[in-house]
């Protein structure tokens, strides 16, 4: 068995065995292996950090919270299959922390959430169909907020000529319209729109298409996964592209720093939908850092934005369980649909009938010439 496979199995077992008599069972299906493994394991660890805090303090209604995690390897068909297995074997009251546009969209299309009368809280993705689903609650800001933050930041320094590069996806037209709507208030204009297909050669083709745009873009908005972002950034830098690159939160900055040399990473900016895990600027950061320090094997999985997002998501789930008062899927869903403003420590979450996005928080992280992440 490969080392990453052993680590994935060990993590899943460790998470599944916490509080075996718990009534509050939270289920997660995510990539513990494959390309998305680093993010999936970090997200799961972030949730476990908070649930461990909750359990040490006596649990919820005197009962511990059990996190059960299954590995989908990043494959959407496995997401559906493993969720079906998890629901049958562990009977969770809520699902949490899923990853991937096609993965979450596949789960939604399966009809399983409605059939099982269960909600999903927190996911990494921005599929337009998923964003409208009544049974799915996002604890992060939406893509439109991310793009609006980037556009307003650029407008301050007079950059309004933008190019949009989007990884190939089913809802490409909807994403393009959403980005256009987001940048318009900043008086910005999309002078080019390029689809980024899988494969290194297509990244080169996308760069060539951009370089032919006249007048050229001053900045590039990149909506893509970490592997696609790495391929595009490498191709663009190799072609001596000069426009600034701003990626959305689909790109994991920690993964990119391992895939790209510092000279390619320098100046890259990424929209972040949770506070920095590397500094203490609010109570939430401090609680997270304390939880990491208290964990006996804190160094096993490096601290990252994905881990911080998992921690944030677990705090929202815990509060929803408290408000539900009893371990019932229907009552947990009801508590989420009536989830009034809640302060996680400087990070506010509110679910309203007209929006499934619980947060509007967006910050920009920038990689310096030395490879350090700053905000």
């Amino acid at each position: 068995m490969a080392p990453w496979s052993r680590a994935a199995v060990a993590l899943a077992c460790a998470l599944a065995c916490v509080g075996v008599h718990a009534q509050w069972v939270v289920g997660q299906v995510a990539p513990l292996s494959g390309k998305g493994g680093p993010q999936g394991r970090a997200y799961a660890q972030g949730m476990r950090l908070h649930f461990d805090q909750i359990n040490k303090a006596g649990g919820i209604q005197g009962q511990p919270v059990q996190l059960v995690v299954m590995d989908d390897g990043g494959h959407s068909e496995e997401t559906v299959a493993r969720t079906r297995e998890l629901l049958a074997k562990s009977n969770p009251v809520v699902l949490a922390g899923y990853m991937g546009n096609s993965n979450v969209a596949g789960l939604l299309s399966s009809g399983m959430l409605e059939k099982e009368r269960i909600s999903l809280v927190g996911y990494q993705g921005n599929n337009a169909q998923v964003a409208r689903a009544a049974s799915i609650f996002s604890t992060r800001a939406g893509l439109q907020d991310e793009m609006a933050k980037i556009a307003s930041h650029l407008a301050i320094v007079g950059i309004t000529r933008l190019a949009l590069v989007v990884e190939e996806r089913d809802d490409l037209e909807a994403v393009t319209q959403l980005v256009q709507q987001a940048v318009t208030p900043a008086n910005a204009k999309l002078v080019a729109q390029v689809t980024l297909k899988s494969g290194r050669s297509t990244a080169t083709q996308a760069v060539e298409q951009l370089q032919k745009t006249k007048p050229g873009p001053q900045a590039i908005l990149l909506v893509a996964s970490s592997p696609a972002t790495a391929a595009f950034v490498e191709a663009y830098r190799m072609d001596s592209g000069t426009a600034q690159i701003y990626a959305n939160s689909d790109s994991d900055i920690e993964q990119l720093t391992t895939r790209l040399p510092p000279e390619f990473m320098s100046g890259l900016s990424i929209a972040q939908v949770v506070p920095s895990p590397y500094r203490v600027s609010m109570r939430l950061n401090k609680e997270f850092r304390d939880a990491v320090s208290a964990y006996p094997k804190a160094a096993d999985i490096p601290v990252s934005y994905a881990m911080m997002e998992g921690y944030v998501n677990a705090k929202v789930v815990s509060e929803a369980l408290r408000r539900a008062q009893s371990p019932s899927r229907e009552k947990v869903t009801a508590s989420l649909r009536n989830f009034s403003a809640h302060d996680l420590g400087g990070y506010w979450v509110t679910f309203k009938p007209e929006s499934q996005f619980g947060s509007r928080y967006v910050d920009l992280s920038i990689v310096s010439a030395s490879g350090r992440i700053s905000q």
Side-chain angles (χ1 to χ4, degrees), residues 111-349:
M112 201 181 311
L113 298 178
E114 289 73 20
K115 179 181 178 182
E116 297 287 342
R117 294 181 295 178
I118 192 168
S119 293
L120 168 60
V121 182
Y123 62 94
Q124 287 193 347
N126 46 56
N127 180 278
Q129 178 190 11
V130 171
R132 297 189 294 270
S135 55
I136 300 180
F137 300 83
S138 175
T139 53
R140 50 156 56 193
L143 178 61
Q144 187 163 2
D145 284 327
E146 294 183 47
M147 293 293 104
K149 175 73 173 184
I150 294 172
S152 61
H153 167 77
L154 291 172
I156 293 174
V157 293
I159 295 178
T160 56
R161 201 166 62 246
L162 311 176
L164 173 63
V165 178
V166 183
E167 186 174 8
E168 190 174 32
R169 50 194 290 167
D170 293 337
D171 61 340
L172 180 61
E173 183 177 349
V175 169
T176 302
Q177 292 177 351
L178 182 149
V179 174
Q180 181 65 71
Q181 293 171 0
V183 304
T184 297
N187 294 319
K189 181 180 180 181
L190 296 180
V191 298
Q193 300 172 35
V194 178
T195 302
L196 186 61
K197 298 182 180 180
S198 60
R200 182 170 179 172
S201 62
T202 60
T204 302
Q205 293 170 7
V207 170
E208 291 174 352
Q209 186 176 343
L210 282 179
Q211 298 290 49
K212 292 177 182 178
T213 302
K214 302 298 179 184
Q218 298 166 293
I220 296 169
L221 307 181
L222 185 56
V223 181
S225 62
S226 298
T229 293
F232 175 81
V233 171
E234 180 181 30
Y236 190 72
R237 300 297 196 208
M238 290 288 287
D239 201 52
S240 302
T242 57
Q244 299 178 43
I245 301 176
Y246 286 78
N248 84 305
S249 60
D250 287 354
S251 298
D252 182 71
I253 198 165
E254 288 86 8
Q255 284 194 57
L256 292 178
T257 56
T258 65
R259 293 171 180 265
L260 296 170
E263 60 268 26
F264 287 178
M265 287 292 294
S266 178
L268 177 66
S269 182
I270 298 180
Q272 304 294 354
V273 291
V274 292
S276 172
Y278 303 112
R279 60 190 177 94
V280 176
S281 59
M282 59 180 72
R283 179 165 54 86
L284 175 61
N285 305 73
K286 184 179 186 308
E287 288 181 3
F288 172 75
R289 298 299 304 186
D290 289 345
V292 171
S293 299
Y295 195 73
K297 295 184 179 180
D300 286 357
I301 301 177
V303 166
S304 64
Y305 276 95
M307 186 182 291
M308 170 62 94
E309 186 171 350
Y311 185 81
V312 166
N313 200 55
K315 286 178 72 71
V316 175
V317 170
S318 295
E319 181 61 23
L321 298 183
R322 286 194 190 93
R323 298 184 184 192
Q325 297 185 341
S326 65
S328 156
R329 293 178 183 178
E330 291 83 357
K331 289 190 176 181
V332 172
T333 296
S335 75
L336 288 164
R337 289 177 177 163
N338 296 281
F339 199 94
S340 56
H342 181 63
D343 181 14
L344 302 184
Y347 182 101
W348 289 82
V349 174

Side-chain angles (χ1 to χ4, degrees), residues 17-28:
C17 293
V18 175
V20 293
H21 300 297
Q23 296 184 61
W24 302 106
V25 179
V26 179
Q28 180 187 21

